Amino acid sequence: MDRWKTIIEPFRIHSVEPIQLKTVEQRDAALREAGWNLFAIHADDVIVDLLTDSGTGAMSRDQWAGIQRGDESYAGSPSWYAFLGSVQALFPFGHVIPTHQGRAAEKILFATIAGPGMAVPNNTHFDTTRANVEYTGAEAVDLVIPEGRIPAANHPFKGNMDIAALESFLTERGAANIPAVFVTITNNSGGGQPVSLANLHAVREVCDRFAVPLFLDACRFAENAWFIHEREDGQSGRSIPDIVREMASLADGMTMSAKKDGLANIGGWLAVNDDALAERCRNLLILTEGFPTYGGLAGRDLEAIAQGLREVVDEDYLRYRIRSTAYLGDALEACGIPTVRPVGGHAVYIDARALLPHIPPLEYPGQALAVALYREGGIRGCEIGTVMFGLHTDGTETPAAMDLVRLAIPRRTYTQSHIDYVIEVVRWVAEQGGDLPGYRIVEQPRALRHFTARFQPLD
Ligand SMILES: Cc1ncc(COP(=O)(O)O)c(C=O)c1O
């Protein structure tokens, strides 16, 4: 298929879900009611929903068949063993602890290993990871390479950890205060950018020297492995599962949201090698999620994930997935819209700060752009910037490193004509950019404010 330029979806559509094509006036009313927060909009009022790629993908025929097969025995269900087998085929950690989604794995792990006075470095913490670290009283520190903080900087592995910064950080803080080093693959908050195998090896070497465990936040492990296959010297001849197993072999454990590269609508897990740590985590799991052979999941969900993990490492799927994301990013870049380059795996990130220079970061240019895309074309994206990361635990607010709007592409859900429509709307909104207002926040919670804050446009 490499002979042809057109990206075809490597599947046929076998059941369809209608989209309601509402008007700008209807969306204006919806925005007012939602306090201009796109998380509060009814999904029926959205035309193309790019809010997240998390749990929003279409499942395959074989996953639905797995759902029918799901065995709901409380303990030791065959569906648990199907799940365990699929997870360990890619991530051969000694202990796999199923959870209802990724943040539950984070909560259990950090509640067990972190606390006041400690710090957890990461290339870039995702919002739930940061919040779960901070909830224990520990500090969440981002140490991505400098290129990873510059939207326009081109680098094949822009999600890499800054190895020198990691070494100095461990030296300064002392290994005893660092319960784990994390690497997020791909780096969602930094633009869905991959981490190279060479960088993972270098992080491992530093962790070994300081005797600190290394964990992967592996939500998009297959997309990361595809980038390694495509971009890293000497990797193109290897199979994707082989690359994934090498990534896993460098870590002491992982947290995972199966709503991404598990190709499932719900689910996650925590995996570790350390027996004593596993026991402490399982005890907490029983308290908050459920028995260790189902975690927070039904047997049918375990089956959907087991099958999803087999499908996500398929090269035809990954080629289509990464090329179709690049199709959107390259089209926006070609019409002069600033985006995070190179295009990441699961999403295209528009640099709202560069596109709307008349809106200062504390008036939320990302929010302004996301609201405008929704109002004009019914496209729901997600602000990843000062709204999401600007508020600190002491109540102060500073601009985030970047103000981005993420257009995350649900897996196997939209066709190329949906994406052509998105390109047309984004172009139109970008042309009117100078007229867009900034926003102020009129109501917000103390943590993860982007989910529930209410906004008001500034005149
Ligand atoms: C990198 C990363 N880590 C963790 C999570 C949390 O996973 P979940 O939404 O399943 O709780 C996400 C979800 O978007 C993510 O992208």
Side-chain angles (χ1 to χ4, degrees):
M1 289 304 290
D2 281 344
R3 211 175 136 196
W4 309 110
K5 280 214 309 259
T6 310
I7 310 156
I8 66 159
E9 290 81 5
F11 47 81
R12 288 185 297 222
I13 294 167
H14 129 297
S15 101
V16 297
E17 195 181 338
I19 294 176
Q20 297 181 30
L21 302 175
K22 301 226 169 134
T23 63
V24 171
E25 291 70 33
Q26 287 170 312
R27 288 195 290 272
D28 262 335
L31 277 170
R32 198 154 290 135
E33 197 181 321
W36 286 271
N37 186 333
L38 299 182
F39 282 98
I41 296 283
H42 292 220
D44 276 351
D45 293 335
V46 177
I47 294 177
V48 180
D49 205 344
L50 307 182
L51 182 68
T52 175
D53 63 321
S54 178
T56 51
M59 286 204 293
S60 69
R61 173 190 64 188
D62 294 336
Q63 284 180 289
W64 284 109
I67 283 199
Q68 284 295 316
R69 243 191 343 263
D71 178 292
E72 304 305 339
S73 304
Y74 189 91
S77 150
S79 300
W80 153 250
Y81 289 104
F83 168 86
L84 182 64
S86 268
V87 172
Q88 287 183 326
L90 293 170
F91 302 98
F93 293 110
H95 302 274
V96 178
I97 297 173
T99 57
H100 78 278
Q101 60 183 92
R103 70 198 66 186
E106 294 163 1
K107 167 85 182 149
I108 289 170
L109 179 67
F110 294 125
T112 307
I113 64 172
M118 295 185 173
V120 179
N122 202 328
N123 44 355
T124 314
H125 288 271
F126 190 63
D127 61 354
T128 59
T129 326
R130 169 172 292 281
N132 273 305
V133 169
E134 290 175 349
Y135 191 73
T136 68
E139 194 188 341
V141 180
D142 295 338
L143 298 177
V144 72
I145 54 170
E147 291 89 335
R149 296 179 200 269
I150 306 167
N154 238 310
H155 187 291
F157 292 102
K158 220 174 153 174
N160 280 354
M161 182 79 93
D162 184 333
I163 300 298
L166 178 65
E167 270 189 276
S168 331
F169 187 78
L170 291 173
T171 309
E172 257 166 49
R173 291 295 181 98
N177 300 315
I178 314 289
V181 169
F182 257 72
V183 180
T184 304
I185 52 171
T186 57
N187 189 24
N188 185 3
S189 306
Q193 300 293 334
V195 176
S196 68
L197 265 183
N199 188 255
L200 280 175
H201 276 277
V203 176
R204 174 79 254 175
E205 193 275 317
V206 174
C207 287
D208 280 344
R209 220 164 349 107
F210 286 83
V212 173
L214 169 59
F215 275 75
L216 300 176
D217 175 347
C219 298
R220 297 175 182 83
F221 70 87
E223 293 171 6
N224 200 88
W226 179 258
F227 282 119
I228 288 173
H229 181 272
E230 294 295 285
R231 295 182 183 168
E232 194 159 351
D233 281 350
Q235 301 300 324
S236 62
R238 296 178 69 188
S239 75
I240 299 299
D242 198 27
I243 295 173
V244 174
R245 280 188 288 269
E246 182 171 340
M247 298 190 303
S249 74
L250 296 169
D252 299 291
M254 67 185 290
T255 54
M256 175 71 189
S257 167
K259 300 170 75 173
K260 284 81 169 176
D261 277 352
L263 298 183
N265 301 126
I266 196 72
W269 68 85
L270 166 66
V272 297
N273 278 330
D274 182 317
D275 298 339
L277 175 61
E279 193 185 330
R280 288 165 68 206
C281 291
R282 277 206 187 95
N283 288 340
L284 199 49
L285 179 89
I286 292 170
L287 199 65
T288 59
E289 292 280 294
F291 189 72
T293 63
Y294 71 84
L297 295 168
R300 54 181 171 271
D301 301 322
L302 294 168
E303 292 277 358
I305 298 167
Q307 177 60 23
L309 290 175
R310 286 191 282 275
E311 293 175 11
V312 79
V313 291
D314 176 74
E315 292 197 10
D316 288 341
Y317 161 74
L318 283 169
R319 185 177 298 108
Y320 139 80
R321 169 76 178 155
I322 300 301
R323 281 188 61 193
S324 56
T325 305
Y327 175 81
L328 171 60
D330 291 346
L332 296 184
E333 187 73 11
C335 45
I337 295 165
T339 55
V340 173
R341 301 300 296 177
V343 181
H346 67 293
V348 171
Y349 294 69
I350 303 174
D351 183 351
R353 195 178 287 175
L355 183 68
L356 307 176
H358 66 289
I359 304 181
L362 292 178
E363 292 179 10
Y364 315 125
Q367 186 67 15
L369 178 61
V371 168
L373 295 179
Y374 173 71
R375 179 180 187 273
E376 301 306 326
I379 295 161
R380 177 157 66 169
C382 182
E383 193 265 8
I384 305 236
T386 303
V387 174
M388 191 179 268
F389 295 119
L391 181 66
H392 307 293
T393 41
D394 63 2
T396 58
E397 189 183 27
T398 53
M402 301 188 252
D403 278 297
L404 306 174
V405 171
R406 183 186 69 181
L407 303 177
I409 313 208
R411 294 169 179 76
R412 308 187 292 200
T413 303
Y414 292 110
T415 63
Q416 190 164 327
S417 56
H418 290 111
I419 299 301
D420 285 334
Y421 170 78
V422 172
I423 294 164
E424 192 181 342
V425 173
V426 177
R427 264 185 94 161
W428 192 90
V429 168
E431 279 160 21
Q432 327 298 317
D435 298 333
L436 296 180
Y439 282 78
R440 71 189 174 93
I441 292 179
V442 292
E443 240 179 80
Q444 63 180 0
R446 287 170 64 93
L448 297 178
R449 65 174 174 177
H450 52 289
F451 288 127
T452 53
R454 291 180 72 82
F455 299 82
Q456 193 89 62
L458 294 162
D459 299 321

